[in-house]
Amino acid sequence: MSNAGFKQPYAGLTWVEILVTLAIVSVLLSAGVSHWRGLQTQYAERRLLNDVARVLAYARNQAFLHAETLVLLPRVPADGWSSGMVLEFKHPAQDDRAQRLHTWRWHYPNVHLSWHGFLGEDTLVVDHSPAQLAMNGYFLVENSGSKQVRWVVSRFGRIRAEQS
């Protein structure tokens, strides 16, 4: 028996089909990667908001506990508030180590945090007297996608987020 007039069955993909498939997959992957980066930045902002809220609550509690006026300062002044905060007594003792109550460190590479308060951009005052609570101001949060969010801090240390 001869197979002279019989065609072989289709066995495999052509180069054109492979290239079209690769092009479609690469477009879908690029869209997915950009969406994933946006989700990572949103998650980092939420974690930073929780960190800042905990710091403010701790600072307020320590001011009441010590019956002293305390200040929150950027951990590294050159980086602003993005790398962490330091809680200190407003009127330092003779020993520099005795004035510092706590240090918080964090690292959110795509998020920049700055403070804009009524008493300055480098100090957030936490008073022990409810009548003198001076936490009024806002944190400005900027991410790598040039999106800005304000975290408004009330005089009681509560945070409210609003879009800029």
Side-chain angles (χ1 to χ4, degrees), residues 17-132:
E17 291 170 331
I18 290 173
L19 290 176
V20 167
T21 303
L22 286 176
I24 291 170
V25 168
S26 65
V27 166
L28 291 174
L29 282 176
S30 66
V33 166
S34 66
H35 182 68
W36 176 253
R37 285 186 183 153
L39 288 176
Q40 281 183 322
T41 302
Q42 284 178 346
Y43 181 66
E45 283 181 15
R46 270 188 255 137
R47 283 190 349 229
L48 182 58
L49 176 64
N50 289 336
D51 287 344
V52 170
R54 272 189 243 115
V55 167
L56 293 177
Y58 180 82
R60 188 179 67 240
N61 291 338
Q62 289 300 311
F64 289 138
L65 182 68
H66 292 284
E68 294 261 352
T69 300
L70 305 176
V71 292
L72 281 167
L73 305 166
R75 187 179 71 82
V76 179
D79 292 342
W81 298 81
S82 297
S83 64
M85 295 182 192
V86 175
L87 181 64
E88 297 180 351
F89 287 101
K90 185 171 185 175
H91 306 291
Q94 298 298 338
D95 184 12
D96 283 342
R97 285 175 284 156
Q99 75 177 9
R100 185 167 286 179
L101 287 172
H102 197 72
T103 301
W104 292 271
R105 293 183 179 130
W106 50 67
H107 179 68
Y108 299 103
N110 296 330
V111 180
H112 178 73
L113 183 67
S114 59
W115 169 251
H116 302 275
F118 295 114
L119 300 176
E121 294 188 3
D122 58 344
T123 305
L124 196 156
V125 177
V126 183
D127 202 281
H128 66 285
S129 169
Q132 298 297 323

